[in-house]
Amino acid sequence: MALHPKGFDLSLGRITRLLERLGNPHEKLPPVIHIAGTNGKGSTIAFCRAIMEAHGLKAHVHTSPHLVNWHERFRIGADGGGHFVEDEVLADALRRVADANQGEMITVFEILTAVMFVLFSEHPADAALIEVGLGGRFDATNVIAHPAASVIMSISLDHQAYLGDRVELIAAEKAGIIKSGSPVVIGAQTEDTAREVLMNIAQRRGCSVSVYGQDFFAVEKNGRLAYQDEDELIDLPLPRLTGRHQQGNAAAAIRALKAAGFELNERAIAEGLLNVSWPGRLERLTHGRLFESAMDGVELWIDGGHNPGAGQVIAEAMANLNDRESRPLILITGMINTKDPVGYFDAFAGMARHVFTVPVSESEAGLDPEFLADTADEAGLSAEPAKDVETAIATICKNWDGRERPPRILIGGSLYLLGEVLKANGTPPV
């Protein structure tokens, strides 16, 4: 972080030059499933990995950003299940990439992307699941000439300064990962214009296209998940991950693996849906220091969603939880200044009892809690700033009226904040 600038400088010249000096490791990968989108990328990758591992296959996984440790960005596929890259292996790859770069200007994300390609090219696996960092067209991961499948998940407004201020512009940028002749899977979209842009670009590039709701879909029936595409109807358990939106993410993962040429069986798909893990996304904390500091009966949930689209699906999931067991909802929220806090809070209007706004100490771009409380108020929510998450939890518990059921507390608004929470709780991703 001291050597290279943060942020994004959207172009492919630097990463292409660096990869050439490294012997073009991106051309020596197992089949690549390349995944873009505003929301749902990581969950879809988690489903792909879980399903592949249930079939006895090895999957490399690249995601970003990490929550607690840098190693989380690089999961190495292995027999019996993958693992985060070991210290020594990561350090060696970083040294070699830095030496190849020869001190030239390059961003941290580009360096780490080159490290990913080096690591994945040097460890045998059946597939590499690669998440786009930002956008698609000029993202540093977008040097894969012939992906086994390109997947684009839900698109909504985010990173407008880089990608444009309309969903169709953002969709066009994310469609940059679509390559001529490679299969394309389009996940559930809330905006028809985004879907149309993606379909038109894929068709112009001669790709076979599978569209959620048209060529494949998933629906909950009698406590089960029915997945259907042009080939089959499969009866599956509901996914382990919380939220109705995860049903669509699971369907996209199944369709992506099939589009990439993998033969799947119903038993292993079911096992994958039951065993999938994606830390920090509508995850309930059931142990750890922060959990133990709360009063008995409190539910602690965390989620890294940080844009209006994510706010809507998280709020829907909280509403569904409330239908099953009614509890007052309290938000503890921290955000950075590239996000739309009012749009995020709007989703919780009329639902959240109160909001505590906290700083995001792991990012220089963290919004001031006083300002963030004002934006929550603008969205119609009662809000006040707090020193940190631990203080907010203590305040909630100290002042809670014992005549009411203990609250459901949702901590979120930033992946940086989630990293702080998981570290403080003593439960980093594994």
Side-chain angles (χ1 to χ4, degrees), residues 348-369:
F348 296 94
M351 181 185 303
R353 174 80 62 86
H354 192 64
V355 181
F356 287 88
T357 55
V358 295
V360 180
S361 60
E362 289 297 314
S363 172
E364 297 172 357
L367 287 172
D368 178 75

Side-chain angles (χ1 to χ4, degrees), residues 158-221:
D158 200 8
H159 297 293
Q160 291 97 311
Y162 292 101
L163 305 178
D165 59 0
R166 302 197 310 275
V167 290
E168 56 266 36
L169 297 177
I170 296 174
E173 289 295 323
K174 294 184 185 294
I177 69 167
I178 295 173
K179 304 298 169 56
S180 293
S182 293
V184 175
V185 174
I186 299 174
Q189 302 292 325
T190 58
E191 299 285 346
D192 291 341
T193 52
R195 185 186 305 104
E196 291 167 4
V197 168
L198 299 175
M199 291 174 63
N200 289 338
I201 291 175
Q203 290 164 357
R204 287 203 304 269
R205 294 178 185 171
C207 303
S208 61
V209 187
S210 298
V211 181
Y212 183 84
Q214 175 178 305
D215 304 299
F216 70 99
F217 66 89
V219 62
E220 181 178 351
K221 289 185 177 181

Side-chain angles (χ1 to χ4, degrees), residues 21-44:
R21 292 175 182 174
L22 290 163
N24 291 315
H26 61 296
E27 298 176 355
K28 304 168 186 176
L29 301 180
V32 171
I33 297 178
H34 201 190
I35 303 185
T38 307
N39 296 304
K41 300 187 298 294
S43 296
T44 303

Side-chain angles (χ1 to χ4, degrees), residues 95-422:
R95 289 189 196 99
R96 286 186 282 148
V97 170
D99 289 345
N101 189 57
Q102 300 175 6
E104 295 190 30
M105 178 64 70
I106 198 165
T107 66
V108 169
F109 185 76
E110 289 168 321
I111 284 284
L112 294 175
T113 299
V115 166
M116 177 265 292
F117 286 130
V118 167
L119 291 171
F120 290 2
S121 69
E122 294 177 350
H123 293 80
D126 297 291
L129 310 174
I130 297 178
E131 179 186 2
V132 167
L134 177 64
R137 183 163 62 112
F138 290 120
D139 185 76
T141 66
N142 196 30
V143 291
I144 307 298
H146 303 290
S150 299
V151 184
I152 304 181
M153 300 305 294
S154 176
I155 294 173
S156 59
L157 292 177
D158 200 8
H159 297 293
Q160 291 97 311
Y162 292 101
L163 305 178
D165 59 0
R166 302 197 310 275
V167 290
E168 56 266 36
L169 297 177
I170 296 174
E173 289 295 323
K174 294 184 185 294
I177 69 167
I178 295 173
K179 304 298 169 56
S180 293
S182 293
V184 175
V185 174
I186 299 174
Q189 302 292 325
T190 58
E191 299 285 346
D192 291 341
T193 52
R195 185 186 305 104
E196 291 167 4
V197 168
L198 299 175
M199 291 174 63
N200 289 338
I201 291 175
Q203 290 164 357
R204 287 203 304 269
R205 294 178 185 171
C207 303
S208 61
V209 187
S210 298
V211 181
Y212 183 84
Q214 175 178 305
D215 304 299
F216 70 99
F217 66 89
V219 62
E220 181 178 351
K221 289 185 177 181
N222 302 318
R224 302 280 293 177
L225 184 70
Y227 168 87
Q228 186 168 9
D229 59 24
E230 68 274 18
D231 298 321
E232 58 186 341
L233 171 64
I234 311 176
D235 175 55
L236 296 166
L238 291 176
R240 180 186 177 194
L241 300 183
T242 300
R244 190 168 62 182
H245 61 290
Q246 295 294 3
Q247 298 171 17
N249 293 339
I254 296 168
R255 192 70 193 94
L257 290 170
K258 294 177 73 171
F262 291 98
E263 296 289 335
L264 305 181
N265 67 72
E266 184 174 325
R267 178 202 57 78
I269 296 173
E271 181 181 334
L273 297 195
L274 291 174
N275 292 330
V276 65
S277 174
W278 188 221
R281 279 69 173 187
L282 278 177
E283 176 185 2
R284 185 175 174 181
L285 299 183
T286 58
H287 62 283
R289 193 174 67 83
L290 288 179
F291 172 78
E292 291 164 2
S293 72
M295 67 183 181
D296 289 345
V298 166
E299 284 189 13
L300 281 184
W301 292 80
I302 58 174
D303 189 273
H306 46 251
N307 53 52
Q312 290 169 9
V313 297
I314 299 164
E316 180 185 358
M318 290 292 106
N320 289 338
L321 287 174
N322 195 64
D323 288 342
R324 294 201 291 268
E325 182 185 23
S326 179
R327 289 172 179 263
L329 176 64
I330 308 294
L331 305 184
I332 301 176
T333 307
M335 302 187 80
I336 62 174
N337 60 19
T338 59
K339 306 304 173 185
D340 174 10
V342 175
Y344 176 85
F345 285 129
D346 274 341
F348 296 94
M351 181 185 303
R353 174 80 62 86
H354 192 64
V355 181
F356 287 88
T357 55
V358 295
V360 180
S361 60
E362 289 297 314
S363 172
E364 297 172 357
L367 287 172
D368 178 75
E370 293 273 3
F371 170 81
L372 194 56
D374 289 341
T375 64
D377 182 71
E378 185 179 338
L381 297 171
S382 165
E384 64 181 283
K387 177 184 176 184
D388 51 34
V389 169
E390 192 166 4
T391 300
I393 293 173
T395 301
I396 294 167
C397 295
K398 178 182 177 182
N399 297 329
W400 198 254
D401 186 340
R403 293 172 295 182
E404 284 193 284
R405 184 186 294 271
R408 179 173 288 125
I409 301 174
L410 173 65
I411 307 168
S414 168
L415 289 170
Y416 291 106
L417 180 66
L418 256 59
E420 297 174 24
V421 169
L422 291 172

Side-chain angles (χ1 to χ4, degrees), residues 1 8 60-67 69-76 83-85 90 108-110 112-113 115-116 119-120 129-131 133 278 416:
M1 293 296 287
F8 296 88
H60 295 325
V61 179
H62 168 264
T63 56
S64 65
H66 61 278
L67 295 177
N69 298 308
W70 291 88
H71 308 68
E72 299 166 30
R73 296 173 180 245
F74 315 104
R75 183 178 287 274
I76 306 300
H83 56 81
F84 293 148
V85 64
L90 178 56
V108 169
F109 185 76
E110 289 168 321
L112 294 175
T113 299
V115 166
M116 177 265 292
L119 291 171
F120 290 2
L129 310 174
I130 297 178
E131 179 186 2
W278 188 221
Y416 291 106

